[in-house]
Amino acid sequence: MSRAHDDERPAGAYERGNEMPEASLRAWAELIVSYVPRASPSIVEIGPGTGVFSAAVARWTEGSEVVAVDASEAMLAEARRHHSPPAVRYLPGEAGAVPAAEGAFDLALMSRVIHRQ
Protein backbone atom coordinates (compact mmCIF):
# COMPACT_ATOMS: atom_id res chain seq x y z
CA MET A 1 0.00 0.00 0.00
CA SER A 2 1.37 3.45 -0.88
CA ARG A 3 1.86 6.14 1.71
CA ALA A 4 -0.84 8.83 1.77
CA HIS A 5 1.73 11.63 1.80
CA ASP A 6 3.26 10.39 -1.46
CA ASP A 7 0.04 11.18 -3.34
CA GLU A 8 0.44 14.65 -4.86
CA ARG A 9 -3.20 15.02 -5.93
CA PRO A 10 -4.65 16.44 -2.69
CA ALA A 11 -2.20 19.35 -2.31
CA GLY A 12 -3.88 21.82 -4.67
CA ALA A 13 -7.39 20.92 -3.58
CA TYR A 14 -6.41 21.07 0.10
CA GLU A 15 -5.52 24.76 -0.14
CA ARG A 16 -8.85 25.65 -1.74
CA GLY A 17 -10.74 23.54 0.77
CA ASN A 18 -9.20 25.33 3.75
CA GLU A 19 -10.10 28.88 2.78
CA MET A 20 -11.84 30.77 5.57
CA PRO A 21 -12.66 34.38 6.39
CA GLU A 22 -9.85 36.39 8.01
CA ALA A 23 -11.85 36.82 11.23
CA SER A 24 -12.28 33.05 11.57
CA LEU A 25 -8.64 32.34 10.85
CA ARG A 26 -7.55 34.93 13.40
CA ALA A 27 -9.92 33.42 15.99
CA TRP A 28 -8.34 29.99 15.41
CA ALA A 29 -4.83 31.45 15.76
CA GLU A 30 -5.77 33.20 18.99
CA LEU A 31 -7.34 30.02 20.36
CA ILE A 32 -4.24 27.99 19.52
CA VAL A 33 -1.82 30.36 21.26
CA SER A 34 -4.13 30.82 24.25
CA TYR A 35 -2.80 27.48 25.50
CA VAL A 36 0.76 28.82 25.70
CA PRO A 37 1.79 30.52 28.96
CA ARG A 38 4.25 32.95 27.34
CA ALA A 39 3.95 35.85 24.91
CA SER A 40 6.32 34.71 22.13
CA PRO A 41 5.74 30.98 21.79
CA SER A 42 7.70 28.40 19.89
CA ILE A 43 5.24 26.06 18.18
CA VAL A 44 5.61 22.91 16.11
CA GLU A 45 2.84 21.88 13.76
CA ILE A 46 2.91 18.28 12.66
CA GLY A 47 1.20 17.83 9.32
CA PRO A 48 0.54 21.49 8.47
CA GLY A 49 -0.75 20.66 5.02
CA THR A 50 -0.59 23.92 3.11
CA GLY A 51 0.36 25.94 6.19
CA VAL A 52 -2.90 27.77 6.89
CA PHE A 53 -2.68 27.54 10.70
CA SER A 54 1.12 27.79 10.90
CA ALA A 55 1.05 31.04 8.97
CA ALA A 56 -1.92 32.41 10.92
CA VAL A 57 -0.24 31.80 14.27
CA ALA A 58 2.96 33.45 13.04
CA ARG A 59 1.04 36.35 11.56
CA TRP A 60 -1.02 37.22 14.63
CA THR A 61 1.34 36.25 17.44
CA GLU A 62 4.19 38.70 17.69
CA GLY A 63 7.56 37.08 18.24
CA SER A 64 6.31 33.55 17.64
CA GLU A 65 8.34 30.94 15.84
CA VAL A 66 6.62 28.07 14.06
CA VAL A 67 8.24 24.92 12.73
CA ALA A 68 5.89 23.08 10.39
CA VAL A 69 6.84 19.48 9.59
CA ASP A 70 5.06 17.51 6.88
CA ALA A 71 5.88 14.23 5.16
CA SER A 72 4.30 15.46 1.92
CA GLU A 73 6.64 17.45 -0.30
CA ALA A 74 3.63 18.49 -2.41
CA MET A 75 1.87 19.99 0.63
CA LEU A 76 5.04 21.81 1.67
CA ALA A 77 5.41 23.26 -1.84
CA GLU A 78 1.85 24.62 -1.62
CA ALA A 79 2.54 25.97 1.88
CA ARG A 80 5.62 27.83 0.70
CA ARG A 81 3.70 29.18 -2.30
CA HIS A 82 0.65 30.43 -0.34
CA HIS A 83 1.61 30.87 3.33
CA SER A 84 5.25 31.71 3.86
CA PRO A 85 5.77 34.38 6.53
CA PRO A 86 9.35 34.70 7.85
CA ALA A 87 8.44 33.23 11.27
CA VAL A 88 7.43 29.87 9.74
CA ARG A 89 9.99 27.25 8.81
CA TYR A 90 8.63 24.40 6.69
CA LEU A 91 10.54 21.13 6.95
CA PRO A 92 10.04 17.75 5.30
CA GLY A 93 9.72 14.80 7.63
CA GLU A 94 7.51 12.75 9.87
CA ALA A 95 6.34 13.41 13.42
CA GLY A 96 8.84 11.04 14.99
CA ALA A 97 11.77 12.87 13.44
CA VAL A 98 11.16 16.52 14.33
CA PRO A 99 14.60 18.13 14.31
CA ALA A 100 14.54 19.71 17.77
CA ALA A 101 15.67 19.02 21.30
CA GLU A 102 13.18 17.86 23.90
CA GLY A 103 11.36 20.84 25.38
CA ALA A 104 12.17 23.11 22.42
CA PHE A 105 8.50 23.90 21.78
CA ASP A 106 5.83 25.43 23.97
CA LEU A 107 3.02 23.81 22.00
CA ALA A 108 2.48 21.09 19.42
CA LEU A 109 -0.39 21.31 16.96
CA MET A 110 -1.87 18.51 14.86
CA SER A 111 -5.08 18.88 12.87
CA ARG A 112 -6.46 16.46 10.30
CA VAL A 113 -3.35 14.34 10.21
CA ILE A 114 -3.26 10.81 8.79
CA HIS A 115 -1.10 8.51 10.88
CA ARG A 116 -0.33 4.91 10.08
CA GLN A 117 2.22 2.60 11.66
Side-chain angles (χ1 to χ4, degrees):
M1 182 159 119
S2 69
R3 300 175 305 177
H5 61 269
D6 289 334
D7 187 347
E8 295 180 8
R9 295 174 298 170
Y14 192 87
E15 175 64 24
R16 291 185 304 277
N18 281 301
E19 292 176 353
M20 68 176 71
E22 285 286 304
S24 297
L25 191 53
R26 185 173 188 149
W28 273 107
E30 290 172 354
L31 175 66
I32 291 165
V33 298
S34 74
Y35 291 97
V36 181
R38 64 187 200 100
S40 300
S42 179
I43 297 171
V44 61
E45 183 173 12
I46 306 299
T50 60
V52 173
F53 291 128
S54 292
V57 167
R59 180 176 170 195
W60 285 303
T61 309
E62 189 174 329
S64 67
E65 294 180 5
V66 181
V67 174
V69 180
D70 202 300
S72 171
E73 291 286 350
M75 288 290 191
L76 290 174
E78 288 292 310
R80 290 181 186 110
R81 184 175 8 264
H82 297 286
H83 305 284
S84 202
V88 178
R89 187 167 46 128
Y90 293 109
L91 301 174
E94 296 186 9
V98 174
E102 184 175 331
F105 299 105
D106 299 305
L107 182 75
L109 173 63
M110 289 176 58
S111 173
R112 295 180 287 168
V113 175
I114 297 171
H115 173 72
R116 184 179 80 111
Q117 290 184 320

